[in-house]
Amino acid sequence: MNNIKESPLFWPAHIKGKTLFVLDETLIPRKIYYVKVRNTKEAMKVIRDMKTRAFGQFLVVLNTFLLELERGKLLTREALVKKMEETAQALNSSRPTFPFSEVTSVVIGWAQKAMTENLDLIPFVTKNIHGYLEGIRFRRLERVRKIAKLIQDGDSILTHCNVSGELAMAAKICGQQKKKVRFFATETRPYLQGTKLTCWELKKMGADVTLVADNAIGSLMADGLVNKVIVGSDRSCANGDFANKIGTYQIAVLAKEFEIPFYVLTQPSNKIACGDDITIEIRDEKELLTFERKAIIKAKVKGFYPGFDVVPHDLITETVAIDAR
């Protein structure tokens, strides 16, 4: 794995000094630019404005605590814990579908442990956050290997909002192993992440990738052009249901109809029982009715844009999981 260059999307946020630099994925492929984040308010804006996607947002959440710990060096221990709890509440509220609370609760638990056991709070929590991040990186690299092993010579793979970096890096491994693999990436409207990000990073890793319209999936499968589907996920349930970018559910239904294996890259969780319990985020209708800040249609019509849909577990062939704990 060490000889594989990581995709910029694999680890799209990092701290340097007292500033968090977050890759602005909305500007790719036009340019590579990192947004500067210095506090919780700016972190919430990056998350809400979708400057980075699911995994990048988790990195923002974890690193925001590091920023606040640095900023809180002059606070009392009690005041610092209160500040961290306020930070957790703010981050948890930034996007309802995302399970940020599963991560923020862990960080707050470390802070409370430091208080209870009279430990030096800032170095204790800081060390644990860095260890947590290192563990996530290791497990993600392991999953890249699993994905590459899952992909066979001659496969033709459809993807829709996959986990940042991982599929592209797995494609690189497959190329090094002389596997001939073809990828179809959906547009992933309305942000066009499939067009701007998925195609870009797969091509950057030397993969054979073709862009297809979101509504071409049925035709693609009926014509036998796809033999596997690999998607990412934003939230998973105890029973195996998961939520992902809107449009994933219909792909899963079609894959079942055409007997095409459907794989999901996910993080196991038992915090919610089933898909019915997932809160689906309804995004601002302007995101659907405008493109690059310009109106798509002059007529006054309403827009309805649920950011995610839920895929029942019985439509999944196999989960390729990573335990971030």
Side-chain angles (χ1 to χ4, degrees):
M1 182 64 65
N2 292 335
N3 63 346
I4 297 177
K5 182 179 179 180
E6 291 184 6
S7 165
L9 298 177
F10 181 76
W11 206 262
H14 64 276
I15 280 184
K16 186 175 182 180
K18 298 180 180 180
T19 304
L20 174 62
F21 292 85
V22 182
L23 179 62
D24 189 340
E25 299 177 21
T26 66
L27 298 179
I28 294 173
R30 291 193 300 257
K31 65 177 179 177
I32 301 294
Y33 174 78
Y34 286 82
V35 180
K36 294 179 181 179
V37 174
R38 301 176 183 86
N39 53 50
T40 301
K41 183 178 180 180
E42 292 177 356
M44 291 176 66
K45 180 171 175 54
V46 161
I47 291 171
R48 286 175 172 165
D49 291 349
M50 291 291 292
K51 294 298 185 182
T52 184
R53 294 178 296 169
F55 179 70
Q57 292 180 8
F58 274 105
L59 289 182
V60 170
V61 167
L62 284 165
N63 281 289
T64 298
F65 283 108
L66 294 177
L67 293 177
E68 295 297 350
L69 287 168
E70 177 66 27
R71 285 160 51 86
K73 285 184 175 180
L74 298 181
L75 297 176
T76 65
R77 286 159 53 89
E78 291 76 11
L80 183 55
V81 171
K82 183 179 179 181
K83 178 63 177 176
M84 292 181 66
E85 289 174 343
E86 291 172 349
T87 296
Q89 291 173 1
L91 293 169
N92 291 347
S93 68
S94 60
R95 294 198 70 189
T97 300
F98 281 60
F100 293 149
S101 61
E102 295 184 20
V103 178
T104 60
S105 63
V106 172
V107 178
I108 297 304
W110 290 329
Q112 292 171 344
K113 177 181 175 66
M115 290 290 290
T116 302
E117 300 183 11
N118 198 30
L119 303 173
D120 199 343
L121 191 148
I122 292 179
F124 177 76
V125 177
T126 299
K127 180 180 178 181
N128 276 282
I129 291 175
H130 282 301
Y132 192 91
L133 287 168
E134 289 173 7
I136 291 175
R137 178 183 283 277
F138 174 81
R139 291 175 179 86
R140 291 198 73 203
L141 290 171
E142 283 296 306
R143 185 161 65 180
V144 169
R145 294 187 181 95
K146 289 181 181 178
I147 299 167
K149 189 175 180 180
L150 176 70
I151 298 172
Q152 300 299 311
D153 185 31
D155 274 352
S156 184
I157 298 167
L158 172 70
T159 186
H160 179 76
C161 206
N162 63 83
V163 179
S164 300
E166 292 186 19
L167 187 62
M169 291 168 65
K172 184 68 173 181
I173 295 175
C174 291
Q176 292 175 335
Q177 296 173 344
K178 307 301 181 183
K179 294 179 184 177
K180 291 185 178 180
V181 183
R182 185 180 186 185
F183 293 90
F184 286 97
T186 57
E187 299 165 297
T188 326
R189 289 179 177 270
Y191 297 129
L192 297 176
Q193 295 131 314
T195 306
K196 297 178 178 180
L197 301 179
T198 306
C199 285
W200 173 77
E201 69 167 344
L202 280 167
K203 201 66 181 177
K204 194 175 181 68
M205 289 296 183
D208 178 355
V209 56
T210 300
L211 178 70
V212 296
D214 284 354
N215 55 8
I217 304 306
S219 177
L220 203 70
M221 292 182 177
D223 290 342
L225 296 177
V226 172
N227 74 316
K228 278 178 184 169
V229 177
I230 300 178
V231 301
S233 70
D234 294 291
R235 187 148 206 180
S236 58
C237 307
N239 74 336
D241 297 348
F242 75 95
N244 193 44
K245 173 71 178 182
I246 188 71
T248 306
Y249 172 61
Q250 61 200 34
I251 294 174
V253 171
L254 285 165
K256 188 80 169 182
E257 170 68 18
F258 289 103
E259 299 182 343
I260 296 171
F262 182 95
Y263 300 92
V264 55
L265 313 181
T266 190
Q267 301 73 237
S269 175
N270 59 5
K271 299 297 183 181
I272 49 180
C274 65
D276 289 340
D277 299 323
I278 296 177
T279 301
I280 299 299
E281 177 182 2
I282 306 300
R283 301 287 296 179
D284 190 326
E285 64 176 8
K286 291 179 181 179
E287 297 179 22
L288 192 66
L289 299 174
T290 62
F291 180 71
E292 294 185 344
R293 300 182 180 180
K294 295 181 180 180
I296 296 173
I297 183 172
K298 291 183 179 181
K300 291 184 178 180
V301 298
K302 295 180 180 180
F304 178 60
Y305 173 29
F308 308 89
D309 53 24
V310 174
V311 177
H313 62 275
D314 59 357
L315 296 179
I316 303 168
T317 303
E318 183 181 336
T319 59
V320 187
I322 176 175
D323 190 343
R325 292 172 293 179

